[in-house]
Amino acid sequence: MDAFSSSFLSSTFTFPSLTTRPPIAPSSLPQIPSLNISAVRIEEKQPQSLTAETSSQSSKTQVHKPPPPPPRRAALPTRNIPKKGAAEPSLPVTIFNALDDVINNFIDPPLRSSVDPRYVLSQNFAPVEELPPTECEVTDGSLPPWLDGAYIRNGPNPQFLPRGPYHLFDGDGMLHSIRIPQGRAILCSRYVKTYKYTIERRAGSPILPNVFSGFNGLTASAARGALSAARILTGQFNPVNGIGLANTSLALFGGRLYALGESDLPYSLRLKPDGDIETLGRHDFDGKLVMSMTAHPKVDPETGEAFAFRYGPVPPFLTYFRFDAQGRKQPDVPIFSLTSPSFLHDFGITKKYAIFADIQIGMNPVEMVTGGSPVGTVPNKVPRLGIIPRYAKDESEMRWFNVPGFNIVHSINAWDEEDAIIMVAPNILSVEHTLERLDMIHASVEMVRIDLKTGMVTRHPLSTRNLDFAVINPGYVGKKNKYVYAAVGNPMPKISGVVKLDVSQTERKECIVGSRMYGPGCYGGEPFFVAREPDNPEAEEDDGYIVSYVHDEKSGESKFLVMDAKTPNLDIVAAVRLPRRVPYGFHGLFVRERDIKGL
């Protein structure tokens, strides 16, 4: 799963083996006294710099030598670490931090494993410090010349160790970019410089509450709500400037690159020639986007248009909109036929329609009263799929279809057929565990057919494996495709490999036609498909590469893998040893050099 929205509240390469331990049950967690930490930052020794010639320019550019290999597992520091330029906390900040400690230690301590930072931030989920552009070693094979650009992956990386409850989705967004200029590899890790990140770095401690873990139960919600109101009144932060983390995904459209998190506006980015990442700022599209938008916009590769939406706790619970090829936002289309707040993380588009899923996750006041999350399952709700014309100006042609038992968080692709719409998506079979027990989730990739004449909906599974974080060749968004590349949960959120599915098979059988498992104790992230010749209309759909970061939990070493997407075993084309570990994260994007230069 990836960073759910806070909108509701505003075999050439193998790793050494390791026997994985089973998920920790809450009852088996060690009884450790409550921590009373006012603020802690993770600081890592920066690699020494050297001067190297970049392939893209004749002038000298600063890159860095790789630091020594990381230890297998470092203990998290438990003391304050001073930062350069940080001012002494003011009296209001000191008082409010003390009140925050009272809430975190006595009113709402992190008792559940899903919000206990000792568990959530263990192993390779632990945060890392920023890394400037650093040369990497290609240890196996060679990087193909067609990989001319940068692979960037987003994910949560808390700037400060949590003082209280912390959910996996609550971390500040950090981008891990591997720039590939002419066969070389340069890694850079930078925070998205959101408003939240900036004011908290300046203050030297957390200011904004954690949305997914900070409002469990009425007492905790009232206490943290009152504390947040006091911080606003004393000028510590202004929610008008955004509360988002930008920790979920990336998108490229209208000549701009964005870091996305659906609780806020997009943050515009720039990639520098040396491989560094710069946050340009929060982007409101000339004032036309005043609220949040999805972290999964769909970009039509043929028209250059982008399609998006937002959702929230008050009517209209869903609003659909689009951007033209130049990135200009078009008028909102409010959807009032969605009659209750629902968790809509992703959606699909075809050449004619946009498709939304109204699933069994939404606002759950009963759970909140009993100490649970305000966002949870609604067991008596029947899931639905809604379709609206792609260029609709209002919701007059919106149609809803009941699809019992179909709960999707991510959409893979959708397309039009004669008098029908086809959608491929992972169905969450254990939706009640979606937020609390990610390790118990099983997602089955299914194909759904909506008959527009009869209103009949049929569906069938494409695989029995636990698959999510699936991607296709980006050139096939919104039109019929044959191949899907999906991450194997073992269990989620850890990913033990990637499989290739042929969704064109008409027989109802296992559709996996290719597979690459990373080996015992080795876990990766969402795969991403990079076409070898994206501008060649005659190129085969699977003619390209699958890329991903992979981490070996025994050695503590991370690598960047490039796999041949056409081969049955997804053969390793190149492996790059990274100068330090890359934590597990969410969604990524490959940006070609020609697009980087146009940003």
Side-chain angles (χ1 to χ4, degrees), residues 248-281:
T248 307
S249 64
L250 299 108
L252 176 69
F253 61 90
R256 287 180 179 267
L257 177 64
Y258 300 102
L260 303 171
E262 57 208 48
S263 59
D264 205 347
L265 306 186
Y267 276 82
S268 182
L269 306 170
R270 183 173 75 92
L271 299 181
K272 296 182 178 180
D274 65 351
D276 212 340
I277 309 167
E278 179 184 4
T279 303
L280 300 178

PDB file of all heavy atoms in Angstrom, residues 248-281:
ATOM      1  N   THR A 248       4.146  10.291  -1.830  1.00  0.00           N
ATOM      2  CA  THR A 248       3.503   9.137  -2.445  1.00  0.00           C
ATOM      3  C   THR A 248       4.019   8.791  -3.831  1.00  0.00           C
ATOM      4  O   THR A 248       4.337   7.640  -4.101  1.00  0.00           O
ATOM      5  CB  THR A 248       1.980   9.370  -2.518  1.00  0.00           C
ATOM      6  OG1 THR A 248       1.498   9.714  -1.229  1.00  0.00           O
ATOM      7  CG2 THR A 248       1.266   8.134  -3.015  1.00  0.00           C
ATOM      8  N   SER A 249       4.103   9.751  -4.729  1.00  0.00           N
ATOM      9  CA  SER A 249       4.411   9.424  -6.129  1.00  0.00           C
ATOM     10  C   SER A 249       4.999  10.630  -6.831  1.00  0.00           C
ATOM     11  O   SER A 249       5.247  11.675  -6.210  1.00  0.00           O
ATOM     12  CB  SER A 249       3.139   8.962  -6.849  1.00  0.00           C
ATOM     13  OG  SER A 249       2.202  10.017  -6.910  1.00  0.00           O
ATOM     14  N   LEU A 250       5.197  10.490  -8.145  1.00  0.00           N
ATOM     15  CA  LEU A 250       5.654  11.576  -9.005  1.00  0.00           C
ATOM     16  C   LEU A 250       4.852  11.552 -10.287  1.00  0.00           C
ATOM     17  O   LEU A 250       4.306  10.522 -10.684  1.00  0.00           O
ATOM     18  CB  LEU A 250       7.140  11.443  -9.340  1.00  0.00           C
ATOM     19  CG  LEU A 250       8.109  11.476  -8.161  1.00  0.00           C
ATOM     20  CD1 LEU A 250       8.672  10.088  -7.931  1.00  0.00           C
ATOM     21  CD2 LEU A 250       9.222  12.478  -8.372  1.00  0.00           C
ATOM     22  N   ALA A 251       4.769  12.708 -10.947  1.00  0.00           N
ATOM     23  CA  ALA A 251       4.072  12.796 -12.231  1.00  0.00           C
ATOM     24  C   ALA A 251       4.766  13.842 -13.090  1.00  0.00           C
ATOM     25  O   ALA A 251       5.293  14.842 -12.576  1.00  0.00           O
ATOM     26  CB  ALA A 251       2.603  13.159 -12.035  1.00  0.00           C
ATOM     27  N   LEU A 252       4.753  13.599 -14.387  1.00  0.00           N
ATOM     28  CA  LEU A 252       5.341  14.516 -15.364  1.00  0.00           C
ATOM     29  C   LEU A 252       4.275  14.858 -16.389  1.00  0.00           C
ATOM     30  O   LEU A 252       3.801  13.988 -17.120  1.00  0.00           O
ATOM     31  CB  LEU A 252       6.548  13.862 -16.041  1.00  0.00           C
ATOM     32  CG  LEU A 252       7.220  14.651 -17.171  1.00  0.00           C
ATOM     33  CD1 LEU A 252       7.928  15.882 -16.616  1.00  0.00           C
ATOM     34  CD2 LEU A 252       8.217  13.762 -17.915  1.00  0.00           C
ATOM     35  N   PHE A 253       3.845  16.116 -16.413  1.00  0.00           N
ATOM     36  CA  PHE A 253       2.904  16.571 -17.442  1.00  0.00           C
ATOM     37  C   PHE A 253       2.994  18.081 -17.559  1.00  0.00           C
ATOM     38  O   PHE A 253       3.401  18.779 -16.628  1.00  0.00           O
ATOM     39  CB  PHE A 253       1.466  16.133 -17.134  1.00  0.00           C
ATOM     40  CG  PHE A 253       0.877  16.659 -15.849  1.00  0.00           C
ATOM     41  CD1 PHE A 253       0.188  17.863 -15.819  1.00  0.00           C
ATOM     42  CD2 PHE A 253       0.983  15.938 -14.672  1.00  0.00           C
ATOM     43  CE1 PHE A 253      -0.370  18.346 -14.639  1.00  0.00           C
ATOM     44  CE2 PHE A 253       0.424  16.399 -13.489  1.00  0.00           C
ATOM     45  CZ  PHE A 253      -0.255  17.602 -13.477  1.00  0.00           C
ATOM     46  N   GLY A 254       2.631  18.580 -18.733  1.00  0.00           N
ATOM     47  CA  GLY A 254       2.683  20.015 -18.967  1.00  0.00           C
ATOM     48  C   GLY A 254       4.075  20.605 -18.839  1.00  0.00           C
ATOM     49  O   GLY A 254       4.219  21.794 -18.540  1.00  0.00           O
ATOM     50  N   GLY A 255       5.111  19.801 -19.061  1.00  0.00           N
ATOM     51  CA  GLY A 255       6.480  20.289 -18.976  1.00  0.00           C
ATOM     52  C   GLY A 255       6.985  20.481 -17.561  1.00  0.00           C
ATOM     53  O   GLY A 255       8.019  21.122 -17.360  1.00  0.00           O
ATOM     54  N   ARG A 256       6.293  19.914 -16.575  1.00  0.00           N
ATOM     55  CA  ARG A 256       6.717  20.038 -15.176  1.00  0.00           C
ATOM     56  C   ARG A 256       6.735  18.670 -14.515  1.00  0.00           C
ATOM     57  O   ARG A 256       5.947  17.792 -14.850  1.00  0.00           O
ATOM     58  CB  ARG A 256       5.791  20.965 -14.396  1.00  0.00           C
ATOM     59  CG  ARG A 256       5.939  22.442 -14.735  1.00  0.00           C
ATOM     60  CD  ARG A 256       4.983  23.276 -13.897  1.00  0.00           C
ATOM     61  NE  ARG A 256       5.099  24.698 -14.149  1.00  0.00           N
ATOM     62  CZ  ARG A 256       5.878  25.534 -13.463  1.00  0.00           C
ATOM     63  NH1 ARG A 256       6.599  25.069 -12.452  1.00  0.00           N
ATOM     64  NH2 ARG A 256       5.923  26.819 -13.756  1.00  0.00           N
ATOM     65  N   LEU A 257       7.654  18.527 -13.556  1.00  0.00           N
ATOM     66  CA  LEU A 257       7.760  17.320 -12.752  1.00  0.00           C
ATOM     67  C   LEU A 257       7.249  17.632 -11.358  1.00  0.00           C
ATOM     68  O   LEU A 257       7.624  18.646 -10.759  1.00  0.00           O
ATOM     69  CB  LEU A 257       9.223  16.865 -12.691  1.00  0.00           C
ATOM     70  CG  LEU A 257       9.531  15.637 -11.832  1.00  0.00           C
ATOM     71  CD1 LEU A 257       8.842  14.390 -12.390  1.00  0.00           C
ATOM     72  CD2 LEU A 257      11.047  15.425 -11.745  1.00  0.00           C
ATOM     73  N   TYR A 258       6.385  16.746 -10.825  1.00  0.00           N
ATOM     74  CA  TYR A 258       5.750  16.994  -9.536  1.00  0.00           C
ATOM     75  C   TYR A 258       5.979  15.831  -8.577  1.00  0.00           C
ATOM     76  O   TYR A 258       5.968  14.662  -8.978  1.00  0.00           O
ATOM     77  CB  TYR A 258       4.238  17.181  -9.703  1.00  0.00           C
ATOM     78  CG  TYR A 258       3.838  18.322 -10.589  1.00  0.00           C
ATOM     79  CD1 TYR A 258       3.418  18.098 -11.899  1.00  0.00           C
ATOM     80  CD2 TYR A 258       3.881  19.641 -10.126  1.00  0.00           C
ATOM     81  CE1 TYR A 258       3.036  19.149 -12.722  1.00  0.00           C
ATOM     82  CE2 TYR A 258       3.507  20.701 -10.955  1.00  0.00           C
ATOM     83  CZ  TYR A 258       3.086  20.443 -12.243  1.00  0.00           C
ATOM     84  OH  TYR A 258       2.718  21.497 -13.058  1.00  0.00           O
ATOM     85  N   ALA A 259       6.152  16.175  -7.302  1.00  0.00           N
ATOM     86  CA  ALA A 259       6.054  15.213  -6.204  1.00  0.00           C
ATOM     87  C   ALA A 259       4.650  15.350  -5.631  1.00  0.00           C
ATOM     88  O   ALA A 259       4.172  16.467  -5.396  1.00  0.00           O
ATOM     89  CB  ALA A 259       7.102  15.498  -5.136  1.00  0.00           C
ATOM     90  N   LEU A 260       3.995  14.199  -5.404  1.00  0.00           N
ATOM     91  CA  LEU A 260       2.578  14.212  -5.073  1.00  0.00           C
ATOM     92  C   LEU A 260       2.272  13.490  -3.766  1.00  0.00           C
ATOM     93  O   LEU A 260       2.893  12.481  -3.433  1.00  0.00           O
ATOM     94  CB  LEU A 260       1.773  13.551  -6.193  1.00  0.00           C
ATOM     95  CG  LEU A 260       1.921  14.141  -7.586  1.00  0.00           C
ATOM     96  CD1 LEU A 260       1.241  13.248  -8.611  1.00  0.00           C
ATOM     97  CD2 LEU A 260       1.339  15.536  -7.645  1.00  0.00           C
ATOM     98  N   GLY A 261       1.299  14.027  -3.055  1.00  0.00           N
ATOM     99  CA  GLY A 261       0.668  13.396  -1.910  1.00  0.00           C
ATOM    100  C   GLY A 261      -0.734  13.955  -1.862  1.00  0.00           C
ATOM    101  O   GLY A 261      -0.919  15.175  -1.928  1.00  0.00           O
ATOM    102  N   GLU A 262      -1.743  13.120  -1.773  1.00  0.00           N
ATOM    103  CA  GLU A 262      -3.089  13.596  -2.063  1.00  0.00           C
ATOM    104  C   GLU A 262      -3.725  14.451  -0.979  1.00  0.00           C
ATOM    105  O   GLU A 262      -4.896  14.801  -1.074  1.00  0.00           O
ATOM    106  CB  GLU A 262      -3.998  12.412  -2.401  1.00  0.00           C
ATOM    107  CG  GLU A 262      -4.059  11.371  -1.342  1.00  0.00           C
ATOM    108  CD  GLU A 262      -4.348   9.999  -1.939  1.00  0.00           C
ATOM    109  OE1 GLU A 262      -3.691   9.616  -2.913  1.00  0.00           O
ATOM    110  OE2 GLU A 262      -5.227   9.323  -1.413  1.00  0.00           O
ATOM    111  N   SER A 263      -2.991  14.799   0.048  1.00  0.00           N
ATOM    112  CA  SER A 263      -3.524  15.710   1.061  1.00  0.00           C
ATOM    113  C   SER A 263      -3.166  17.159   0.768  1.00  0.00           C
ATOM    114  O   SER A 263      -3.468  18.046   1.577  1.00  0.00           O
ATOM    115  CB  SER A 263      -2.994  15.317   2.444  1.00  0.00           C
ATOM    116  OG  SER A 263      -1.579  15.366   2.452  1.00  0.00           O
ATOM    117  N   ASP A 264      -2.522  17.422  -0.365  1.00  0.00           N
ATOM    118  CA  ASP A 264      -2.041  18.792  -0.627  1.00  0.00           C
ATOM    119  C   ASP A 264      -1.914  19.010  -2.130  1.00  0.00           C
ATOM    120  O   ASP A 264      -2.175  18.118  -2.943  1.00  0.00           O
ATOM    121  CB  ASP A 264      -0.687  18.989   0.056  1.00  0.00           C
ATOM    122  CG  ASP A 264      -0.376  20.447   0.368  1.00  0.00           C
ATOM    123  OD1 ASP A 264      -1.076  21.344  -0.160  1.00  0.00           O
ATOM    124  OD2 ASP A 264       0.564  20.709   1.133  1.00  0.00           O
ATOM    125  N   LEU A 265      -1.484  20.211  -2.487  1.00  0.00           N
ATOM    126  CA  LEU A 265      -1.176  20.514  -3.877  1.00  0.00           C
ATOM    127  C   LEU A 265       0.124  19.824  -4.286  1.00  0.00           C
ATOM    128  O   LEU A 265       0.924  19.432  -3.432  1.00  0.00           O
ATOM    129  CB  LEU A 265      -1.018  22.032  -4.066  1.00  0.00           C
ATOM    130  CG  LEU A 265      -2.150  22.948  -3.607  1.00  0.00           C
ATOM    131  CD1 LEU A 265      -1.835  24.381  -4.021  1.00  0.00           C
ATOM    132  CD2 LEU A 265      -3.482  22.509  -4.171  1.00  0.00           C
ATOM    133  N   PRO A 266       0.373  19.665  -5.577  1.00  0.00           N
ATOM    134  CA  PRO A 266       1.649  19.103  -6.018  1.00  0.00           C
ATOM    135  C   PRO A 266       2.802  20.061  -5.705  1.00  0.00           C
ATOM    136  O   PRO A 266       2.618  21.282  -5.607  1.00  0.00           O
ATOM    137  CB  PRO A 266       1.470  18.969  -7.537  1.00  0.00           C
ATOM    138  CG  PRO A 266       0.009  19.055  -7.777  1.00  0.00           C
ATOM    139  CD  PRO A 266      -0.543  19.927  -6.700  1.00  0.00           C
ATOM    140  N   TYR A 267       3.992  19.494  -5.558  1.00  0.00           N
ATOM    141  CA  TYR A 267       5.217  20.277  -5.399  1.00  0.00           C
ATOM    142  C   TYR A 267       6.064  20.114  -6.649  1.00  0.00           C
ATOM    143  O   TYR A 267       6.393  18.988  -7.057  1.00  0.00           O
ATOM    144  CB  TYR A 267       5.996  19.836  -4.154  1.00  0.00           C
ATOM    145  CG  TYR A 267       5.493  20.496  -2.883  1.00  0.00           C
ATOM    146  CD1 TYR A 267       4.383  20.002  -2.225  1.00  0.00           C
ATOM    147  CD2 TYR A 267       6.111  21.637  -2.379  1.00  0.00           C
ATOM    148  CE1 TYR A 267       3.903  20.609  -1.071  1.00  0.00           C
ATOM    149  CE2 TYR A 267       5.640  22.256  -1.226  1.00  0.00           C
ATOM    150  CZ  TYR A 267       4.543  21.742  -0.572  1.00  0.00           C
ATOM    151  OH  TYR A 267       4.063  22.362   0.567  1.00  0.00           O
ATOM    152  N   SER A 268       6.407  21.236  -7.269  1.00  0.00           N
ATOM    153  CA  SER A 268       7.170  21.215  -8.510  1.00  0.00           C
ATOM    154  C   SER A 268       8.650  20.960  -8.210  1.00  0.00           C
ATOM    155  O   SER A 268       9.196  21.464  -7.223  1.00  0.00           O
ATOM    156  CB  SER A 268       7.002  22.557  -9.231  1.00  0.00           C
ATOM    157  OG  SER A 268       7.697  22.562 -10.456  1.00  0.00           O
ATOM    158  N   LEU A 269       9.295  20.176  -9.093  1.00  0.00           N
ATOM    159  CA  LEU A 269      10.687  19.773  -8.891  1.00  0.00           C
ATOM    160  C   LEU A 269      11.538  20.114 -10.106  1.00  0.00           C
ATOM    161  O   LEU A 269      11.024  20.314 -11.208  1.00  0.00           O
ATOM    162  CB  LEU A 269      10.776  18.253  -8.667  1.00  0.00           C
ATOM    163  CG  LEU A 269       9.915  17.639  -7.571  1.00  0.00           C
ATOM    164  CD1 LEU A 269       9.958  16.119  -7.682  1.00  0.00           C
ATOM    165  CD2 LEU A 269      10.355  18.100  -6.192  1.00  0.00           C
ATOM    166  N   ARG A 270      12.847  20.149  -9.876  1.00  0.00           N
ATOM    167  CA  ARG A 270      13.809  20.294 -10.972  1.00  0.00           C
ATOM    168  C   ARG A 270      14.991  19.383 -10.709  1.00  0.00           C
ATOM    169  O   ARG A 270      15.450  19.271  -9.566  1.00  0.00           O
ATOM    170  CB  ARG A 270      14.289  21.747 -11.091  1.00  0.00           C
ATOM    171  CG  ARG A 270      15.230  21.984 -12.264  1.00  0.00           C
ATOM    172  CD  ARG A 270      15.538  23.468 -12.424  1.00  0.00           C
ATOM    173  NE  ARG A 270      16.463  23.947 -11.413  1.00  0.00           N
ATOM    174  CZ  ARG A 270      17.800  23.985 -11.565  1.00  0.00           C
ATOM    175  NH1 ARG A 270      18.330  23.567 -12.707  1.00  0.00           N
ATOM    176  NH2 ARG A 270      18.567  24.450 -10.620  1.00  0.00           N
ATOM    177  N   LEU A 271      15.476  18.707 -11.754  1.00  0.00           N
ATOM    178  CA  LEU A 271      16.673  17.880 -11.653  1.00  0.00           C
ATOM    179  C   LEU A 271      17.849  18.665 -12.215  1.00  0.00           C
ATOM    180  O   LEU A 271      17.825  19.112 -13.366  1.00  0.00           O
ATOM    181  CB  LEU A 271      16.499  16.576 -12.431  1.00  0.00           C
ATOM    182  CG  LEU A 271      15.360  15.660 -11.964  1.00  0.00           C
ATOM    183  CD1 LEU A 271      15.333  14.391 -12.807  1.00  0.00           C
ATOM    184  CD2 LEU A 271      15.498  15.325 -10.499  1.00  0.00           C
ATOM    185  N   LYS A 272      18.879  18.824 -11.416  1.00  0.00           N
ATOM    186  CA  LYS A 272      20.044  19.590 -11.843  1.00  0.00           C
ATOM    187  C   LYS A 272      20.979  18.713 -12.684  1.00  0.00           C
ATOM    188  O   LYS A 272      20.914  17.485 -12.621  1.00  0.00           O
ATOM    189  CB  LYS A 272      20.780  20.121 -10.613  1.00  0.00           C
ATOM    190  CG  LYS A 272      19.960  21.099  -9.786  1.00  0.00           C
ATOM    191  CD  LYS A 272      20.770  21.628  -8.606  1.00  0.00           C
ATOM    192  CE  LYS A 272      19.987  22.639  -7.784  1.00  0.00           C
ATOM    193  NZ  LYS A 272      20.769  23.149  -6.640  1.00  0.00           N
ATOM    194  N   PRO A 273      21.859  19.335 -13.467  1.00  0.00           N
ATOM    195  CA  PRO A 273      22.761  18.555 -14.331  1.00  0.00           C
ATOM    196  C   PRO A 273      23.635  17.562 -13.580  1.00  0.00           C
ATOM    197  O   PRO A 273      23.994  16.524 -14.129  1.00  0.00           O
ATOM    198  CB  PRO A 273      23.622  19.640 -15.017  1.00  0.00           C
ATOM    199  CG  PRO A 273      22.748  20.853 -15.013  1.00  0.00           C
ATOM    200  CD  PRO A 273      21.971  20.789 -13.733  1.00  0.00           C
ATOM    201  N   ASP A 274      23.979  17.862 -12.314  1.00  0.00           N
ATOM    202  CA  ASP A 274      24.845  16.959 -11.556  1.00  0.00           C
ATOM    203  C   ASP A 274      24.078  15.819 -10.894  1.00  0.00           C
ATOM    204  O   ASP A 274      24.662  14.999 -10.192  1.00  0.00           O
ATOM    205  CB  ASP A 274      25.645  17.733 -10.507  1.00  0.00           C
ATOM    206  CG  ASP A 274      24.764  18.361  -9.431  1.00  0.00           C
ATOM    207  OD1 ASP A 274      23.522  18.344  -9.588  1.00  0.00           O
ATOM    208  OD2 ASP A 274      25.306  18.883  -8.441  1.00  0.00           O
ATOM    209  N   GLY A 275      22.739  15.759 -11.089  1.00  0.00           N
ATOM    210  CA  GLY A 275      21.949  14.702 -10.488  1.00  0.00           C
ATOM    211  C   GLY A 275      21.215  15.109  -9.238  1.00  0.00           C
ATOM    212  O   GLY A 275      20.482  14.303  -8.653  1.00  0.00           O
ATOM    213  N   ASP A 276      21.401  16.348  -8.780  1.00  0.00           N
ATOM    214  CA  ASP A 276      20.727  16.805  -7.571  1.00  0.00           C
ATOM    215  C   ASP A 276      19.255  17.116  -7.863  1.00  0.00           C
ATOM    216  O   ASP A 276      18.860  17.299  -9.019  1.00  0.00           O
ATOM    217  CB  ASP A 276      21.415  18.044  -7.005  1.00  0.00           C
ATOM    218  CG  ASP A 276      21.326  18.115  -5.485  1.00  0.00           C
ATOM    219  OD1 ASP A 276      20.438  17.439  -4.913  1.00  0.00           O
ATOM    220  OD2 ASP A 276      22.122  18.833  -4.861  1.00  0.00           O
ATOM    221  N   ILE A 277      18.459  17.176  -6.788  1.00  0.00           N
ATOM    222  CA  ILE A 277      17.021  17.413  -6.899  1.00  0.00           C
ATOM    223  C   ILE A 277      16.680  18.696  -6.158  1.00  0.00           C
ATOM    224  O   ILE A 277      17.046  18.864  -4.990  1.00  0.00           O
ATOM    225  CB  ILE A 277      16.212  16.258  -6.287  1.00  0.00           C
ATOM    226  CG1 ILE A 277      16.691  14.918  -6.833  1.00  0.00           C
ATOM    227  CG2 ILE A 277      14.730  16.443  -6.547  1.00  0.00           C
ATOM    228  CD1 ILE A 277      16.167  13.722  -6.071  1.00  0.00           C
ATOM    229  N   GLU A 278      15.968  19.582  -6.804  1.00  0.00           N
ATOM    230  CA  GLU A 278      15.573  20.859  -6.204  1.00  0.00           C
ATOM    231  C   GLU A 278      14.045  20.956  -6.163  1.00  0.00           C
ATOM    232  O   GLU A 278      13.373  20.685  -7.164  1.00  0.00           O
ATOM    233  CB  GLU A 278      16.143  22.021  -7.019  1.00  0.00           C
ATOM    234  CG  GLU A 278      15.761  23.394  -6.480  1.00  0.00           C
ATOM    235  CD  GLU A 278      16.263  24.518  -7.361  1.00  0.00           C
ATOM    236  OE1 GLU A 278      16.850  24.240  -8.435  1.00  0.00           O
ATOM    237  OE2 GLU A 278      16.061  25.698  -6.982  1.00  0.00           O
ATOM    238  N   THR A 279      13.515  21.324  -5.004  1.00  0.00           N
ATOM    239  CA  THR A 279      12.080  21.591  -4.884  1.00  0.00           C
ATOM    240  C   THR A 279      11.829  23.046  -5.237  1.00  0.00           C
ATOM    241  O   THR A 279      12.358  23.954  -4.595  1.00  0.00           O
ATOM    242  CB  THR A 279      11.578  21.312  -3.454  1.00  0.00           C
ATOM    243  OG1 THR A 279      11.868  19.953  -3.100  1.00  0.00           O
ATOM    244  CG2 THR A 279      10.076  21.542  -3.357  1.00  0.00           C
ATOM    245  N   LEU A 280      11.017  23.280  -6.262  1.00  0.00           N
ATOM    246  CA  LEU A 280      10.740  24.647  -6.701  1.00  0.00           C
ATOM    247  C   LEU A 280       9.606  25.286  -5.903  1.00  0.00           C
ATOM    248  O   LEU A 280       9.552  26.503  -5.776  1.00  0.00           O
ATOM    249  CB  LEU A 280      10.397  24.662  -8.189  1.00  0.00           C
ATOM    250  CG  LEU A 280      11.488  24.120  -9.121  1.00  0.00           C
ATOM    251  CD1 LEU A 280      11.013  24.153 -10.571  1.00  0.00           C
ATOM    252  CD2 LEU A 280      12.776  24.914  -8.958  1.00  0.00           C
ATOM    253  N   GLY A 281       8.686  24.468  -5.390  1.00  0.00           N
ATOM    254  CA  GLY A 281       7.614  25.038  -4.579  1.00  0.00           C
ATOM    255  C   GLY A 281       6.273  24.382  -4.835  1.00  0.00           C
ATOM    256  O   GLY A 281       6.100  23.560  -5.742  1.00  0.00           O
TER     257      GLY A 281
END
